[in-house]
Amino acid sequence: MPDTFTPPVIPTTPVTPAILESLRAIVGDKGLIVDDAGKEPFVRDWRGVLAGNAAVVVRPGSTEEVSKVVKLCHDNGIAIVPQAGNTGLMGGATPYPAHAGIVLSVGRMNRVLEVDTVGYSMTVEAGCVLQTLQETAASHDRFFPLSLGAQGSCMIGGNLSTNAGGVQVLRYGNARNLVLGLEVVLPNGDIWNGLRSLKKDNTGYDLKHVFMGAEGTLGVITRAVLKLWPAPKDVATAWLAVRDPKAAIEILSEAHSASEDNVGSCELMNRAGTDMVLRHIPNVQDPLKAETDWFLLLEWSSSRPRSDGTEGMSEKMEQFLADQMEAGRVLDAVIAQNEAQARNMWVIRESVAPASRAEGPGLSYDVSVSVSRVPAFIEQGMKAVYDILPSIRPYPLGHIGDGNIHFSFMGPKGMDRATLGQYSPAITRAVNDLVRDMGGSISAEHGIGIEKIDELAHYRSKIELDTMRSIKRALDPKNIMNPGKILRL
Ligand SMILES: Cc1cc2nc3c(=O)[nH]c(=O)nc-3n(C[C@H](O)[C@H](O)[C@H](O)COP(=O)(O)OP(=O)(O)OC[C@H]3O[C@@H](n4cnc5c(N)ncnc54)[C@H](O)[C@@H]3O)c2cc1C
């Protein structure tokens, strides 16, 4: 965030002692956190970059309690910051320093209410941890595909509110594609019950899509009906040293038919990113000690169990990799021989964010372009950034099958955060201008939050921004629901 950032104007009506007692009457003592030490984890962001304030953290235990809390705030003009696992990377869940209202945490609402194995769906509360939902589905021989590095602590309410992406989008779509129905508490406290488990429902505007990706600015998601899939039974995971990003895209393009439409994930990393993980994350092994710059984590999976005598995913992949080596795209490759080896490959990919936090200050841009333009974007983007700061250390990575690149950089060795911050506006403009010129998006999956509020205003048309403001004003005329996030009103 540049030093020049001016925070948006937000309502600052204080929580009086009388309102605090009313909140206590709704959620009880166990649902309130008022001491500074207790509030601390709720007013800082995961990266340790942003910090704000809240009069109180309110932790309701049910939709009815959320509704009463929101109504009380609405009637008194008190601002609310909805929060789930607090792993968001754009500051959407972090209150501003001027925030005088509440943080509303859904963490206590963590029940799986129903698993429908025949209808392939499950109904859950917003505070369920993502990994718990994956495990619940697996225990019923089903699969919930949303998967990302923060899955041990992020919660489904936050995943849906950010329309999270992750490493299975290629095959299953992003979070909004995994939802059949939603329940939402609106900014006036009304409960919208859209908890339908219908695959087809063309009855007017599809309201659930208004709330997904809204980052808590339009209401509080309290429950959801999620789609399930058959559990994968035959999985092949491989770590490939590839010639360059262009080869990586071509490999993916060929992999679809070679795998018989079974590509699950395709993740690009470079040597610098891999080495950073090996430096900071314990018990991780380098799958390939290849002296090459680019790697691809490729996973194929099928719900058909392996049976003796038939060719499984690994055999198909082995043949495919041999062909790709002959074509000069793959330089070396290893297929995981057991779950531990596959897990090790995934830990490398998923540990880039924590490793970069340990490494020092950096800059990261979560952007997307059309899949075939990924190589040109990486090449031109790196050149543009090197022109501004030649000693910066790039480690681009990402879900390249979705055209989503985490265009990431560590600051030059020894450079502190403040000095790097002086280069940040020029680098941000260069990267995002290139994204625009290539017809891409300045936020592929992390959202807007606080961090990209001015970038969104810079790159989106007036008509688009005005339409978003109209929706916000219609649902939240008092601007109490996560004010100052996504848009300046
Ligand atoms: C290590 C790491 C890896 C990550 N990898 C990915 C990745 O691959 N793909 C990806 O998309 N993201 C990724 N993220 C970002 C983050 O995990 C996701 O954005 C996640 O979906 C946020 O969930 P959360 O529960 O932590 O939400 P929070 O951070 O608590 O909230 C996120 C936003 O949603 C709002 N919100 C939260 N709960 C509700 C609710 N119940 N109702 C309404 N609004 C609500 C908040 O106000 C905020 O604006 C990663 C983060 C980390 C730390």
Side-chain angles (χ1 to χ4, degrees), residues 41-58:
F42 297 86
V43 297
R44 284 187 173 278
D45 78 330
W46 181 87
R47 300 164 303 163
V49 172
L50 300 173
N53 287 304
V56 54
V57 176
V58 185

Side-chain angles (χ1 to χ4, degrees), residues 20-33 56-62 64-70 72 102 104-105 108:
L20 187 62
E21 285 322 301
S22 301
L23 288 168
R24 198 184 303 279
I26 299 167
V27 297
D29 280 331
K30 63 180 178 306
L32 282 190
I33 302 173
V56 54
V57 176
V58 185
R59 305 179 73 224
S62 66
E64 290 64 35
E65 287 185 11
V66 174
S67 164
K68 286 179 187 163
V69 168
V70 172
L72 180 72
I102 70 169
L104 191 158
S105 165
R108 280 180 60 223

Side-chain angles (χ1 to χ4, degrees), residues 356-378:
S356 66
R357 199 167 64 158
E359 178 93 357
L363 300 171
S364 187
Y365 302 92
D366 162 45
V367 302
S368 65
V369 292
S370 64
V371 174
S372 48
R373 295 185 114 167
V374 166
F377 174 82
I378 293 178

Side-chain angles (χ1 to χ4, degrees), residues 46-47 80-94 104-106 126-128 130 146-151 153-167 169 174-175 183-185 211 214-223 267 349-354 357 366 399 404 406 444-447 449 481-482 485-486:
W46 181 87
R47 300 164 303 163
I80 300 168
V81 177
Q83 195 177 94
N86 198 18
T87 68
L89 299 174
M90 291 293 118
T94 313
L104 191 158
S105 165
V106 294
C128 290
L130 174 57
L146 187 63
S147 175
L148 45 105
Q151 63 198 24
S153 43
C154 64
M155 298 169 188
I156 194 70
N159 300 143
L160 302 185
S161 299
T162 54
N163 184 27
V167 296
V169 174
N174 47 20
E183 178 189 76
V184 180
V185 172
F211 300 100
E215 301 181 48
T217 59
L218 300 179
V220 182
I221 294 176
T222 44
R223 292 194 274 180
E267 298 287 313
R349 170 60 189 89
E350 286 165 355
S351 300
V352 176
R357 199 167 64 158
D366 162 45
H399 319 298
N404 179 188
H406 296 310
E445 60 174 10
H446 293 162
M481 198 52 82
N482 218 1
K485 309 292 172 65
I486 301 185

Side-chain angles (χ1 to χ4, degrees), residues 201-224:
D201 178 15
N202 279 353
T203 49
Y205 303 142
D206 195 338
L207 291 183
K208 63 180 180 291
H209 287 295
V210 171
F211 300 100
M212 289 188 280
E215 301 181 48
T217 59
L218 300 179
V220 182
I221 294 176
T222 44
R223 292 194 274 180

Side-chain angles (χ1 to χ4, degrees), residues 188-414:
N188 64 1
D190 283 353
I191 300 169
W192 171 58
N193 186 340
L195 272 186
R196 306 174 188 120
S197 40
L198 302 176
K199 298 239 178 196
K200 299 179 98 171
D201 178 15
N202 279 353
T203 49
Y205 303 142
D206 195 338
L207 291 183
K208 63 180 180 291
H209 287 295
V210 171
F211 300 100
M212 289 188 280
E215 301 181 48
T217 59
L218 300 179
V220 182
I221 294 176
T222 44
R223 292 194 274 180
V225 185
L226 306 173
K227 293 184 202 166
L228 298 177
W229 276 261
K233 296 283 162 56
D234 181 9
V235 181
T237 311
W239 190 262
L240 285 55
V242 298
R243 195 189 59 219
D244 52 24
K246 183 165 177 286
I249 294 289
E250 290 165 357
I251 292 165
L252 172 62
S253 166
E254 300 277 313
H256 292 300
S257 57
S259 69
E260 296 170 5
D261 280 332
N262 283 310
V263 179
S265 299
C266 184
E267 298 287 313
L268 183 75
M269 288 190 58
N270 78 344
R271 182 80 256 173
T274 311
D275 286 348
M276 193 162 66
V277 172
L278 296 170
R279 255 196 311 280
H280 295 289
I281 307 296
N283 307 320
V284 181
Q285 272 80 46
D286 194 351
L288 267 184
K289 294 198 168 44
E291 291 297 316
T292 55
D293 275 345
W294 296 100
F295 300 100
L296 205 58
L297 200 177
L298 186 64
E299 189 164 276
W300 297 359
S301 63
S302 163
S303 58
R304 184 155 27 137
R306 278 188 75 119
S307 50
D308 288 344
T310 60
E311 206 183 33
M313 283 293 121
S314 294
E315 290 79 12
K316 282 199 184 90
M317 192 185 258
E318 215 171 300
Q319 182 57 53
F320 173 72
L321 293 179
D323 294 345
Q324 293 302 311
M325 273 185 179
E326 213 170 291
R329 297 181 185 122
V330 173
L331 307 175
D332 201 354
V334 55
I335 299 179
Q337 296 304 305
N338 51 46
E339 228 170 294
Q341 286 181 5
R343 191 64 223 131
N344 179 62
M345 293 172 187
W346 275 112
V347 169
I348 296 177
R349 170 60 189 89
E350 286 165 355
S351 300
V352 176
S356 66
R357 199 167 64 158
E359 178 93 357
L363 300 171
S364 187
Y365 302 92
D366 162 45
V367 302
S368 65
V369 292
S370 64
V371 174
S372 48
R373 295 185 114 167
V374 166
F377 174 82
I378 293 178
E379 193 188 328
Q380 291 175 36
M382 296 227 297
K383 183 177 174 319
V385 176
Y386 276 138
D387 282 351
I388 297 165
L389 187 54
S391 49
I392 202 160
R393 294 174 291 158
Y395 61 102
L397 72 153
H399 319 298
I400 55 158
D402 317 323
N404 179 188
I405 309 123
H406 296 310
F407 204 47
S408 304
F409 302 84
M410 295 312 307
K413 279 214 165 78

